[in-house]
Amino acid sequence: MQTEKEYTRTAQAYETCVEAIKKFAQEKGFSDVVIGLSGGLDSALVAALCVDALGATQVHGVLLPGPYTLDSSQEDAAALAQNLSISTTIIPISAMCNSFEEAFAEAQQTLTPLARENVQARCRMICLMALSNTHGWMLMNTSNKSEALVGYCTLYGDMAGAFAPLGGLYKTEVYELARWRNSIEEAEEYASLIPLNILEKAPSAELSADQTDEASLGIAYSDLDRILIALVEEEVSVEEVCALGYAEEEVERVISLIKASAFKRRLLPPSPAITRGA
């Protein structure tokens, strides 16, 4: 259960994100935004933030089911859109992905498993950018700070977008903001909200069979964020992070991921500046 100070900090972070979306859209001349709705938490929170910032009629959700998308994920995305009263479009990408495979086969090239996963992410972004160009909608990025720091994101795929509302939030903070947003569901100034199944299920990019994000990362988000916050926000030594209960090899692995993905972070869109109190 959150303390009053934590509750206030969470509320402030949420409002910071809402105001940042309003300001960025106004400055860049956009009235409408488009978001890829995966049925996951990050895109759900971005959609809620955009509705609170711009209004439901200005937010356009797109479901982009691929070869490994679960029916339950599409159901969760549809339920979110209904709760937020936003319009949705469904554009399946499996045929596009198959076309890539066929083109590479004709060229006598075989895609690696990682390349196949990234093709799916990039097919989704091609669709979203096509809608952005066609309708003049601003594409919203759904990346969070945890995944950006360790490079768990796809160049020219889920890293694309004009603005990243969650770019200053660690994954555990994304959960905090989503739960807080649900807790004020009945407040007059806000619309109604994020399905509990989205909050409770294991996060997954659904780019391969039975994939989960924490398995791909090799570490739970709670542990990853504790290490990242210590290293990045508090700037403590490896020894001090290890004193929190982590093996030196694990901390060094996180550091190596941060260093190796520095070039990716230079290509991320702007995001709100989130101030973290004691």
Side-chain angles (χ1 to χ4, degrees):
M1 186 174 180
Q2 286 185 319
T3 65
E4 183 177 349
K5 182 183 290 186
E6 289 169 336
Y7 181 88
T8 301
R9 187 167 67 242
T10 301
Q12 289 174 340
Y14 191 94
E15 191 58 36
T16 295
C17 293
V18 168
E19 292 303 316
I21 293 169
K22 286 182 184 177
K23 182 178 180 182
F24 190 88
Q26 183 177 30
E27 288 179 349
K28 308 308 175 186
F30 288 98
S31 61
D32 292 48
V33 298
V34 59
I35 306 166
L37 298 181
S38 66
L41 180 62
D42 293 335
S43 62
L45 182 59
V46 169
L49 287 164
C50 289
V51 167
D52 291 338
L54 306 172
T57 57
Q58 272 62 56
V59 180
H60 309 277
V62 186
L63 283 65
L64 299 149
Y68 303 100
T69 302
L70 299 175
D71 290 343
S72 59
S73 294
Q74 294 188 73
E75 292 165 2
D76 290 338
L80 171 79
Q82 183 175 13
N83 289 352
L84 292 172
S85 299
I86 63 175
S87 64
T88 57
T89 302
I90 301 175
I91 305 177
I93 65 161
S94 293
M96 302 178 207
C97 296
N98 290 338
S99 294
F100 271 90
E101 293 275 1
E102 292 168 4
F104 272 76
E106 289 177 7
Q108 298 183 327
Q109 295 289 328
T110 302
L111 294 175
T112 65
L114 176 60
R116 288 191 184 96
E117 292 185 12
N118 288 339
V119 162
Q120 294 171 61
R122 290 169 181 144
C123 281
R124 290 190 169 104
M125 211 47 58
I126 288 172
C127 295
L128 291 170
M129 279 306 306
L131 290 171
S132 172
N133 294 156
T134 298
H135 300 288
W137 299 338
M138 180 171 71
L139 175 59
M140 302 301 290
N141 176 278
T142 60
S143 300
N144 62 65
K145 190 171 185 176
S146 303
E147 293 162 359
L149 280 171
V150 297
Y152 187 60
C153 45
T154 301
L155 282 169
Y156 321 117
D158 59 340
M159 288 177 62
F163 191 67
L166 309 184
L169 296 168
Y170 290 94
K171 185 69 171 188
T172 48
E173 294 175 322
V174 173
Y175 276 99
E176 290 172 6
L177 264 66
R179 292 190 180 101
W180 177 83
R181 181 61 184 76
N182 275 3
S183 74
I184 52 127
E185 178 178 346
E186 296 178 0
E188 290 183 3
E189 66 270 28
Y190 293 113
S192 183
L193 255 278
I194 300 173
L196 289 180
N197 191 50
I198 291 178
L199 279 160
E200 294 171 352
K201 66 184 176 182
S204 172
E206 295 186 336
L207 298 177
S208 60
D210 302 319
Q211 182 266 340
T212 66
D213 293 342
E214 291 181 323
S216 297
L217 287 164
I219 187 172
Y221 278 114
S222 56
D223 292 321
L224 177 62
D225 283 1
R226 196 176 183 195
I227 293 172
L228 288 175
I229 290 170
L231 292 171
V232 177
E233 310 297 334
E234 300 167 358
E235 298 183 327
V236 304
S237 66
V238 171
E239 291 75 18
E240 289 174 290
V241 180
C242 292
L244 297 174
Y246 298 103
E248 183 176 351
E249 295 78 10
E250 188 170 36
V251 178
E252 291 290 355
R253 187 176 76 87
V254 172
I255 292 173
S256 68
L257 290 172
I258 294 172
K259 291 180 178 178
S261 58
F263 75 99
K264 280 188 173 184
R265 290 191 294 278
R266 294 191 182 98
L267 298 178
L268 283 167
S271 59
I274 304 296
T275 302
R276 292 171 177 82

